[in-house]
Amino acid sequence: MEFRLLGGVGVATRMGEMALGPAKRRSVLATLLLRSNTAVPMAQLIDAVWEEAPPAHARTVVQGHVSRLRVLFAEACAEEYDVRLATRGSAYVMEIPDGLLDVHRFEELVRRGQQGERPEETAALLRDALGLWRGPALTGTVPSTSLAAAAQALEETRLSTVEQLAELHGLLGDLPQAVALLKAEVGAYPLRESLTTALMVMLYRAGRQSDALDRYHRTRGLLAEELGVSPGPAMRAAYEGILRGDLLGDRPSAAMPRGLVVESSRGETSRSGPTRVRTSGHDLRSTGGSGAEPRVLQAVRTAQAVPPQGAPARPDGPGRPRAAAPHDPPPRPADVPTGLPTGRAAVPHGERAPRPEAPTDGPTGRAAPPRPAYAADPGDRPVPRLLTRGARGFHGRAEELAGIDAATGEGTIALVTGAAGVGKTALALHWAHRHQHRFPGGTLFADLRGFGDDPVQPDEVIREFLMALGVKPRALPESAPGAAALYRELTAERELLVVLDNVRTADQVRRLLPSGPRSVVLVTSRLRLSGLIAEGLARPVPVDLLDLDDAVELLASAVGRARVAAEPEAAVSLGKLCDGLPLALRITAAQLVTRPNWRLADLAAELADEQRRLSLLSLDDSGDAGVAAALGLTVQGLPPETARLFALLGRLPGTDLDRYTAAALSDCDPVAAGEALDRLAGAHLVTEYVPGRYSLHELVRLYARGLSRDRHALLRVLDHQIATALRATAASVPEDQPCCTLPDGAYVPHSGREFADRQDSLRWYAAERENLAAAVTAARAAGHDDRAWRLVVLQWPHITWNVRDGWVPLLEQALESAVFLDDPDAETRVRALLGWVLLEEGHLPEALRRLEPAPALAARTGDPSSEATALVNLGLALERGGDVRTALAHATRAVELTRKADDPLTELLALELKARLYLTNGDLEDVLECTARALTVLADRPGLPAMRHVMIRLTRGEALHVQGDRDEAAVCVRVALADAERLGYKEGVRRGKEQRARWAGRAGV
C-alpha cells in the first residue's frame, strides 16, 4: 500500500488505484497525511476543504468523507499495513508507517543524500528522491489557503533538491545532465534567479557561453516586464564573469550551489570592494562595486528572503503578502539594490542615474580629465576568449576546412553556408579553436539566432563585444551609433577572430565587422547571403551532407567503435536513414548512448518507419529540439508563397523537380515557381544539383509532408506530367497519333515545357523516369488509376529505345489500373506495350498471355490503329514461338488496318514484321517487296522516326545476303548501324552487330 502526495493525491493498493472520489475527500486525506500520526482538529480539516467561508453543515460533510475513507481503507485491508484512521476527541489522526507515504520517503532520501560523503552516492539518492514526484504536489485537491501553502512548501523543497542535484552533476562532470535538469525548471520558474544563475554557470562550463548570455538577457527582460526590477547581484556577477571569460577562474568544478552567497568587502564603498559570488570554494567577481551587502541568497525550503535594511520590498518579496495558489511558483529570493561606486543610494528602477560629480585634482579644484572607457595601454586590455566549446568527435570536412583557410588567407569573410543541422557551427568552431592562437587580440563569438523567434540585434552584440574588449558597463555609449564607433575604434589595431553564428542578413554581418585589416571574420548562415559575396566581402564555403563513410565514422566516434564494428550493416543503414545530416546522426548517437542495450539494428528498424522518423530524431519528447525544429526555424522566415511551395513539396511524387512541376504543384506560373525554388535553394532547403533541376533530401521531404493540406496538389502534378508527356511524344514521333488524351476534367497548367526535337524529349523522359514511376505509384494509391496508365503508356518512345531496361513492373501497374477501370482502350494499349517488352526480354509465355486478349479488346473500341498495333505485337510473339503462318496472317491484317486508318508509323511496324516472316519462310522476293514499300513510306513521310529505317534495312540486308548480293547487303547493314549509333538506338546497334558477326562467321566457315 502506498499513499501519494507528490503529484496527484492518491492511494495505490495491491488491487489497483483506490477510487478516492471528489476533490473535497482528497483534500481531507491530504490534510491528514501531511500531519500523519498527529491529531488534526476538525477546524483544520474544514479550512482545508473550503476556499471561502464554509457552510453551516461543514462538519457533517467532513465526517461523511472520513467515514467513506474508512470504508475504502477497510476494502483495501489497510490494517494489514498498520494504517488506521482513528478518532481522538474532536480530532482525527492518520496512523501510518513512514515508509508508506511518498513525502516521508522523499525527505528520508534527501536527508541521506545530504549526509553522504561521496558525490556519486549523493546524486543517486537525490535522483531517487526526485523520481518520486509525479507532478505538482497535492494535485486534485481544493485550492484552499492551507493546502496551497503546503503544496508550495513541498515544491520549494523539490526545487531546492533539483539545485543540489544539478550542482552534483556539475561536480561529477555531467554538464549536459545538469543543463537539462536546470533548463526544465527555469522554463517552469523563469523568475527564480537562483535557478537561472545556476543554469548560466552550467551553460558557461559546458562551453555554451552565448546560450548563458542569452539566458541572462531573457531573464533580465522578464524581470523588468513582470516585476519592474533588475537582476540581483548574483546573477549580474555571473553575467559579467561570463562576458570576461574568467568565471571562477578556469572552468569551475561546480555550478552555483544551493548555498550560493553574494557578499562584498564589509564597510567598503569604493571600487576596491567588488561584488563576489562564492560557490563551491570558487569566487566569481563582478566589475561593479557596491556598498556592504548581507548574505541574501541562501536556499531554504520556503525560499524566503529579507531585504536589506532600508531597501524597499521587491514586488515579489514578503513586503506584499498574498494567499498562495496551489501551484504558484515559490517565492523567489529578493535581490539587494546595488549602490553606486560613490556610496550613494541605488537609483529606483526606470530612472536615469545622476551623473557622478567629476573628481577634482589639485588646489585649483578644476575637474580632472575623464577616465577612458577602456585601458589606454594595449598591454592592459583584456584578451577575450568567447568561443564556445567545439563539437566532440568532429570528423572529416577536409575540403571545407581548406575553403575556410583560403577565404581567411585572402582577407575576406569565410561564409559557411548550408542546410539546418548540416554542421556549419561545428565546422566553424572546429576551425576557430585550431587557429585562435593566431589572434593575440582575442576571439569574439556571437550566436545571432537569425532563424529563431527572438533574433539578437547587432546593437546588442556590439555592447557585449565592447564589454568583452574591456569597456566598463557604465562607460558604454548610450546610443547605438556611439557604441558602433567605439567598437570600430577598439578593433582597428587588434588581430581578432570574430565568429558570427546563425546569421540571417548581410546587414548583421556588416555592422559587426571589425575595422582592422588583420582581423578575420567567420560567418555561418542557412542562407547564401549573396550580397556579401557580390560586394567582394565574403567567399562562400558551402557545407553539404556527409558522405556515407563520414556518417558512419561520426556514429562510431559518438557511440563507440566497438558497437559500430559489431553491426557494420546497421551502421550504414543508420547513416542512410539520417541522410548524412550531422544533426540527425548526433541525435541518433544520443539515442544509442542512452540505450546501451539497444542494437544499432533496433534503432534502424525504428527509423525506417517514415511516420515516426522525425519524432525519433528530436532531442526530447516535446520535439522542440531536433531535425524538425531546425527545419521549422528556416521555413518560418520564408516569404509566404515560398513557404507554401516548400510545404507542397511534401506532396511531390519523386525526388526532384523543375520549375514547371513546381508551378503545377503550387498552381502558379513557372516564372514565379522558379523564383520560389531559387529562394528555397538559397535557404538550403532544396539543392539545384544541375541547372534548372532541384532535389530535396529525404528528411526535408518528410518534414514538408506534414505541412500542407492541399488535397489537389498531387492531381495537379499528375495532370501536368501527362500533358508534358503528350508534348514529348509529339516531339519524339511527330507523324504518330497520340496514344491517349488528357483525362476528363484534367488540370490545365498555366504553361508547360516545350520540346525542340526528339532528342530533347528523350532527355526529358530520361530525367523524369523515376519521378514518373513515383507518380504512377502515388496515383494508384490515391485512386487516380485513369492517370496511372496514361503516365506509363506515354513513355513508349523512351521504352522502345531502351527496351531491356526493367520496364515490366511499371507496365504491370498500368495493366492493373486499366483492368480496374474496365477500360478496353487503356487495357489493349498497355497489353500491347507490355507484351512487346516481355517478348524482347525473352519471356515468351508471359508475352503471349498478355498479348492474346489485346486484338479483341482493341476491336471493341473501334480504333483500327490500336487493333493493328495489338496484332503486330501478337504476331511478333507468335513468330518467336514458331507459329509463322498465324503471325503472317496477323501482320497482313495489320497492314490493311493501318492503310485504312492512314497510320504510316504502325504500317511500318506491320511491314517490318511481315518482311521478317517472309524471310523466315524463304520468300525473298516478298521480303524485298515489303521492305521496298516500307522505305517508300519512310521517304514520303520524312518526319517518321529514323529508328524504323534501321530495322527495315537490317531485314532487307539479310534477304540480299541470302540471295548472294553481299555488297548490297553490306551497304544496308552499314547504313543501319551508322543510323542506330548516331541515334543511340541500343536495340538497333545490338541487332546490327549480331547480324554482321553472323555473316562473318559464315564467311569464315
Side-chain angles (χ1 to χ4, degrees), residues 539-743:
R539 173 171 171 171
V541 182
V543 182
D544 204 349
L545 301 176
L546 294 173
D547 62 32
L548 197 53
D549 290 341
D550 284 339
V552 172
E553 179 61 29
L554 191 155
L555 279 175
S557 67
V559 305
R561 301 189 182 282
R563 289 181 75 179
V564 169
E567 297 182 80
E569 293 182 2
V572 169
S573 296
L574 288 173
K576 292 178 179 177
L577 289 166
C578 290
D579 233 4
L581 186 71
L583 173 61
L585 289 162
R586 290 191 180 279
I587 294 172
T588 298
Q591 302 260 24
L592 291 167
V593 169
T594 56
R595 295 175 173 86
N597 294 327
W598 274 43
R599 297 180 304 124
L600 272 65
D602 295 332
L603 185 53
E606 294 286 324
L607 288 172
D609 182 356
E610 290 189 353
Q611 302 298 321
R612 299 184 59 224
R613 191 178 308 167
L614 284 178
S615 63
L616 290 169
L617 294 177
S618 62
L619 293 173
D620 52 46
D621 293 337
S622 67
D624 290 338
V627 175
L631 290 171
L633 290 176
T634 304
V635 173
Q636 73 181 16
L638 296 173
E641 287 306 310
T642 305
R644 178 173 177 270
L645 173 59
F646 175 76
L648 288 167
L649 291 178
R651 301 277 175 171
L652 178 70
T655 58
D656 67 346
L657 75 166
D658 57 14
R659 61 192 180 102
Y660 296 103
T661 302
L665 195 61
S666 55
D667 193 18
C668 66
D669 65 84
V671 174
E675 293 171 353
L677 283 171
D678 191 56
R679 282 191 289 269
L680 290 175
H684 295 92
L685 291 169
V686 300
T687 302
E688 189 177 13
Y689 66 98
V690 296
R693 292 199 70 85
Y694 301 81
S695 64
L696 63 162
H697 298 298
E698 181 66 11
L699 292 177
V700 177
R701 183 183 66 81
L702 291 177
Y703 176 72
R705 181 186 290 175
L707 299 181
S708 175
R709 297 292 180 268
D710 187 341
R711 294 179 293 104
H712 303 293
L714 174 62
L715 204 56
R716 290 197 298 270
V717 171
L718 297 177
D719 289 346
H720 151 74
Q721 289 173 322
I722 292 171
T724 307
L726 281 167
R727 287 191 294 272
T729 303
S732 181
V733 192
E735 291 295 319
D736 192 22
Q737 299 295 320
C739 63
C740 66
T741 59
L742 285 169

Side-chain angles (χ1 to χ4, degrees), residues 689-934:
Y689 66 98
V690 296
R693 292 199 70 85
Y694 301 81
S695 64
L696 63 162
H697 298 298
E698 181 66 11
L699 292 177
V700 177
R701 183 183 66 81
L702 291 177
Y703 176 72
R705 181 186 290 175
L707 299 181
S708 175
R709 297 292 180 268
D710 187 341
R711 294 179 293 104
H712 303 293
L714 174 62
L715 204 56
R716 290 197 298 270
V717 171
L718 297 177
D719 289 346
H720 151 74
Q721 289 173 322
I722 292 171
T724 307
L726 281 167
R727 287 191 294 272
T729 303
S732 181
V733 192
E735 291 295 319
D736 192 22
Q737 299 295 320
C739 63
C740 66
T741 59
L742 285 169
D744 293 338
Y747 165 77
V748 179
H750 290 261
S751 62
R753 174 172 179 166
E754 300 296 338
F755 299 94
D757 51 27
R758 181 181 63 258
Q759 291 303 318
D760 190 22
S761 68
L762 290 176
R763 282 192 294 270
W764 179 83
Y765 276 122
E768 293 287 347
R769 177 175 176 178
E770 291 186 9
N771 293 332
L772 291 170
V776 171
T777 301
R780 297 189 67 221
H784 301 308
D785 291 275
D786 57 335
R787 270 77 174 173
W789 74 266
R790 285 176 167 87
L791 286 167
V792 177
V793 297
L794 281 169
Q795 297 181 64
W796 74 262
H798 188 46
I799 294 173
T800 56
W801 283 70
N802 303 275
V803 64
R804 290 181 174 82
D805 208 8
W807 297 101
V808 170
L810 185 66
L811 287 160
E812 292 283 8
Q813 289 189 65
L815 181 58
E816 289 174 8
S817 290
V819 172
F820 175 79
L821 293 169
D822 193 21
D823 184 341
D825 180 60
E827 187 176 347
T828 188
R829 293 180 187 280
V830 175
R831 284 185 177 277
L833 189 55
L834 172 59
W836 177 72
V837 170
L838 286 167
L839 187 62
E840 293 300 310
E841 289 185 350
H843 304 298
L844 179 60
E846 292 87 344
L848 284 169
R849 186 164 58 87
R850 296 292 190 275
L851 289 168
E852 284 169 347
L857 286 167
R860 283 173 51 194
T861 67
D863 183 347
S865 292
S866 180
E867 185 180 355
T869 302
L871 287 167
V872 168
N873 288 329
L874 179 56
L876 289 169
L878 292 169
E879 176 196 16
R880 299 281 177 87
D883 189 354
V884 175
R885 184 177 63 82
T886 307
L888 187 57
H890 286 335
T892 302
R893 173 61 179 159
V895 171
E896 296 171 356
L897 288 168
T898 55
R899 289 177 180 172
K900 176 182 176 182
D902 190 23
D903 180 1
L905 181 59
T906 310
E907 182 184 358
L908 287 175
L909 294 172
L911 287 170
E912 179 190 334
L913 172 62
K914 194 174 181 180
R916 217 171 41 249
L917 292 168
Y918 281 137
L919 183 62
T920 301
N921 283 340
D923 301 328
L924 300 180
E925 291 300 326
D926 289 332
V927 174
L928 296 176
E929 181 182 343
C930 276
T931 54
R933 165 63 184 165

Side-chain angles (χ1 to χ4, degrees), residues 41-50 54 58-59 62:
M42 175 64 74
Q44 290 186 13
L45 291 172
I46 291 174
D47 287 342
V49 171
W50 279 274
R59 177 182 291 271
V62 171

